[in-house]
Amino acid sequence: MKRTKITDLFSPGMIGQEVSVMGWVRTRRGNKHVQFVALNDGSTIRNIQIVLDMARFTDEELKAVTTGSSIHVTGRLVESMGKGQSAEIQADTLKVFGTADPESYPLQKKGHTLEFLREKAHLRPRTNTFGAVLRIRSALAFAIHKFFQERGFFYLNTPLITASDCEGAGAMFQVTTLDLNDLPKGEDGRVDYSADFFGKPTALTVSGQLEGELGATALGAIYTFGPTFRAENSNTPRHLSEFWMIEPEMAFYDITDNMDLAEAFIKYCIGYALEHCADDIEFLAKMYDEDLPARLRGVLESEFVRLTYTEGIDILKASGRKFEFPVEWGVDLQSEHERFLVEEHFGKPVILTDYPKDIKAFYMKLNDDGRTVRAMDVLFPKIGEIIGGSEREESYDKLLGRIEEMNIPMKDMWWYLDTRRFGTVPHSGFGLGFERLVLFVTGMTNIRDVIPFPRTPGNAEF
Ligand code: 4AD
Ligand code: MG
C-alpha cells in the first residue's frame, strides 16, 4: 500500500479509506483495552490519532512505541468520536522503524523552552513550534521566487567567495587555504597572499549586490537569494553571522519605483503565508502571540508611511522620549528609534529615505544637497529594519569621488566601475533579510529560532 502523508488524510473523500502512514510518535496514552498514539510526520502541524485495539496487539509490541520512536501503521481512516480531531486510524498493522529510549530522548517531555531547544538544534525540528516555523520558512522562500518570476525578474547566483567588501563594514570572514601555523611572509613581514588559493585575500560575501548590479545592467531586473555572512560581534535577537538575503536589482528604477516594489514584495510574501500556512500561523498565535494574525493582516491593509530621515529625526526629537542613544541629525538610528516611529508614532510600517551620506554605503546616489543619499530602509513593527536599499550612484565621476573619499581600495573595484563606464543607467535595488521576514511572519522573537542551524558569535555546533 502506498504511503499517505498525514496532511493528505484530512482531504475530502479520505474517510473510509485503507491507509498507510509513517511518522514519529508524539504521545501514547490509554489503558489495557485501547491505546491512542498521536503521530506526526512533519507534513502538517496536525497529528493523526492512531487507535490500537489491544485485543489485536500485544503489550510487548506496544512497548517500543514511545515518544520520539518512528512507526509504520496501516488501517482504516474513520471519523473520530474524540474531540480535537476529525479523523483517526483504526490500526490493522504496526511496525516500529526505530526506538527512542525515554531515558535519553531529549524531547521526551512537552513544553521545553525555546532556549533549551536551541541547545538541541539537531532535534528541535521535531517539535510543533519548529515544524511550524520551518514550513512557513519554506513557503516564504517559494513565495519570493514566485513574486519575482511572475514579474520577469531573473534569478542570479552571485559568488559566496569574494575579494570585495560590498557594505564597507569590514566585518568579513576570511577564506584561506594557507596554513595558519606557518604563514608565508613577504619581505615586509606581512602575509604573502600570492601563495593563497586565489592568489589574493578573499572572504565570504556580505552581500551579492555589486554582482547583482552587473546582472541588472544586462538583464534589466534580477534578484539574488542566498546566504550572506557577517563577522560582526552583534549578540542581538535580530542578528545572525550567517543569514539569507534576497537582493533585487533593477535597471531604470528610481527610488520611488524601488519603494513601490519593496512594499508590494513584502505584502505579497505575508499574504502568501496567510493563505498557505494558516494552520501553522494559527498554532504559533495560540502558543506565543495572539496578536500575530491581526498584525500580519494589518501590514497587508496599511499603506507604508514614507518619510525622510530628517523628518524622522524631527519626530524623534519632538517626542520628548528619553532614548538610550540620544538623537541628533547625523546619528545612525538604533532599533529603539526605529521601533518608536513604527510602533508608537505611526502604528504601521515606515520607509525612511535620504539618510546622511556618512552613515551609508559608498554606492548610494548622492542627493543634490550634497549631504544625503537616496537610501531607503523599510522599518517594521517588532523587527526594526527589515529591508535596506537605495537608488545607486550611476555617475562614474561621483561614484569614484565617494570611493576615494571613503578610502575604498580602488583596485578591487575596477569591474564594478565598468558598469558606470559602459552604458550606465539609473538603477536601484534593496536587500531583504530573509530571517527578519520569517521572524515577522512567525511572530517569534529571537532570530536564532527561525533558521534551522543558527550561526552567532561563539556558536556553530550543529
Ligand atoms: O542593510 P543591509 O546591510 O544592506 C545590504 O547588504 C545591501 N547590499 C542591500 C541591497 O541594497 N542590495 O542588509 C539588508 C538587510 C537588512 O535590512 C536586514 O534585514 C538584513 O539584511 N540583515 C541581517 N539579518 C540578520 N542578521 C544580520 N547580521 C543582518 N544584517 C543585515
Ligand atoms: Mg541596513
Side-chain angles (χ1 to χ4, degrees):
M1 204 187 321
K2 228 175 125 231
R3 170 189 168 220
T4 305
K5 286 193 182 177
I6 291 173
T7 189
D8 296 329
L9 295 177
F10 302 103
S11 309
M14 288 302 294
I15 296 288
Q17 304 279 325
E18 289 294 328
V19 294
S20 159
V21 294
M22 302 177 190
W24 293 269
V25 172
R26 285 293 167 81
T27 56
R28 175 162 70 84
R29 62 188 174 80
N31 53 43
K32 63 180 192 299
H33 306 295
V34 60
Q35 289 275 314
F36 301 98
V37 170
L39 192 70
N40 190 284
D41 68 358
S43 63
T44 161
I45 188 82
R46 300 165 78 167
N47 298 330
I48 187 72
Q49 173 157 283
I50 312 288
V51 183
L52 296 147
D53 179 350
M54 290 310 285
R56 309 179 56 177
F57 298 94
T58 64
D59 288 346
E60 195 52 35
E61 276 176 288
L62 262 286
K63 229 170 70 189
V65 182
T66 58
T67 297
S69 64
S70 47
I71 63 173
H72 177 194
V73 170
T74 64
R76 187 178 297 277
L77 189 73
V78 299
E79 243 166 280
S80 176
M81 298 294 140
K83 50 178 208 284
Q85 71 257 334
S86 55
E88 62 193 22
I89 294 172
Q90 300 281 358
D92 289 328
T93 69
L94 165 71
K95 185 184 145 203
V96 175
F97 287 124
T99 58
D101 178 7
E103 294 299 314
S104 52
Y105 182 55
L107 306 180
Q108 175 64 26
K109 289 208 297 283
K110 281 178 105 170
H112 290 299
T113 64
L114 295 171
E115 290 78 9
F116 172 86
L117 292 173
R118 257 170 245 150
E119 307 283 310
K120 305 278 179 264
H122 60 309
L123 291 173
R124 67 181 183 168
R126 293 200 195 174
T127 63
N128 284 332
T129 295
F130 286 90
V133 168
L134 294 178
R135 281 186 296 270
I136 291 171
R137 187 180 163 106
S138 168
L140 284 170
F142 182 71
I144 286 162
H145 282 289
K146 194 159 143 51
F147 176 86
F148 287 117
Q149 295 287 334
E150 283 171 356
R151 282 160 188 74
F153 285 59
F154 299 101
Y155 179 37
L156 185 77
N157 300 118
T158 50
L160 299 188
I161 299 175
T162 169
S164 59
D165 176 2
C166 169
E167 292 305 300
M172 302 180 84
F173 290 101
Q174 195 172 345
V175 173
T176 182
T177 53
L178 292 178
D179 178 354
L180 298 182
N181 292 312
D182 184 18
L183 291 168
K185 299 275 175 69
E187 269 162 26
D188 56 2
R190 296 173 66 86
V191 176
D192 175 14
Y193 281 102
S194 66
D196 202 352
F197 191 88
F198 296 105
K200 57 166 144 184
T202 52
L204 295 177
T205 188
V206 297
S207 160
Q209 178 195 324
L210 302 187
E211 295 88 353
E213 288 185 51
L214 300 175
T217 53
L219 300 169
I222 63 89
Y223 67 104
T224 71
F225 188 172
T228 50
F229 308 87
R230 298 201 182 174
E232 320 153 357
N233 197 8
S234 326
N235 259 304
T236 83
R238 280 179 296 279
H239 287 88
L240 290 164
S241 312
E242 176 179 291
F243 65 99
W244 287 63
M245 190 157 42
I246 298 95
E247 295 186 277
E249 192 70 34
M250 300 73 64
F252 318 115
Y253 268 52
D254 67 14
I255 183 88
T256 307
D257 302 325
N258 205 23
M259 287 192 276
D260 291 345
L261 182 75
E263 183 168 342
F265 170 50
I266 212 157
K267 285 178 172 170
Y268 180 90
C269 294
I270 293 169
Y272 186 92
L274 278 169
E275 190 181 334
H276 292 88
C277 308
D279 283 358
D280 288 322
I281 290 174
E282 191 190 315
F283 170 80
L284 293 171
K286 193 177 82 198
M287 292 299 291
Y288 299 100
D289 181 358
E290 58 182 9
D291 299 333
L292 176 64
R295 195 159 59 245
L296 298 180
R297 275 192 297 273
V299 168
L300 287 193
E301 287 153 15
S302 65
E303 207 173 297
F304 296 5
V305 177
R306 300 182 182 190
L307 81 163
T308 65
Y309 167 91
T310 303
E311 291 165 332
I313 292 286
D314 289 345
I315 292 171
L316 291 167
K317 284 172 82 167
S319 72
R321 177 68 63 97
K322 269 247 163 301
F323 294 108
E324 192 189 334
F325 295 88
V327 184
E328 214 40 71
W329 197 94
V331 301
D332 209 353
L333 293 185
Q334 303 294 325
S335 129
E336 56 172 341
H337 310 132
E338 296 172 343
R339 293 183 62 173
F340 176 84
L341 290 173
V342 173
E343 289 165 27
E344 297 184 47
H345 190 80
F346 290 109
K348 50 180 166 170
V350 173
I351 310 183
L352 265 194
T353 59
D354 304 288
Y355 284 72
K357 66 174 184 186
D358 294 337
I359 57 170
K360 288 293 182 189
F362 74 95
Y363 51 71
M364 297 191 180
K365 186 177 171 77
L366 197 61
N367 280 318
D368 292 339
D369 64 13
R371 59 181 206 147
T372 60
V373 287
R374 229 161 274 182
M376 56 164 235
D377 277 8
V378 181
L379 313 179
F380 253 47
K382 301 261 180 199
I383 306 292
E385 181 191 334
I386 195 163
I387 282 178
S390 77
E391 187 169 339
R392 317 305 189 192
E393 183 56 74
E394 84 262 25
S395 149
Y396 180 83
D397 292 332
K398 284 191 193 162
L399 185 62
L400 196 60
R402 289 293 288 150
I403 286 176
E404 282 166 359
E405 218 172 86
M406 295 172 77
N407 283 320
I408 297 170
M410 255 301 296
K411 65 171 177 22
D412 299 339
M413 285 288 151
W414 65 271
W415 53 270
Y416 181 68
L417 283 165
D418 269 6
T419 55
R420 276 61 167 178
R421 285 177 66 206
F422 307 116
T424 191
V425 289
H427 64 290
S428 300
F430 61 82
L432 167 73
F434 186 47
E435 285 74 22
R436 294 202 184 164
L437 174 68
V438 183
L439 258 186
F440 184 73
V441 172
T442 58
M444 303 302 280
T445 52
N446 193 314
I447 201 163
R448 294 165 179 79
D449 297 333
V450 298
I451 185 165
F453 307 102
R455 266 86 185 96
T456 50
N459 176 25
E461 177 76 13
F462 305 97

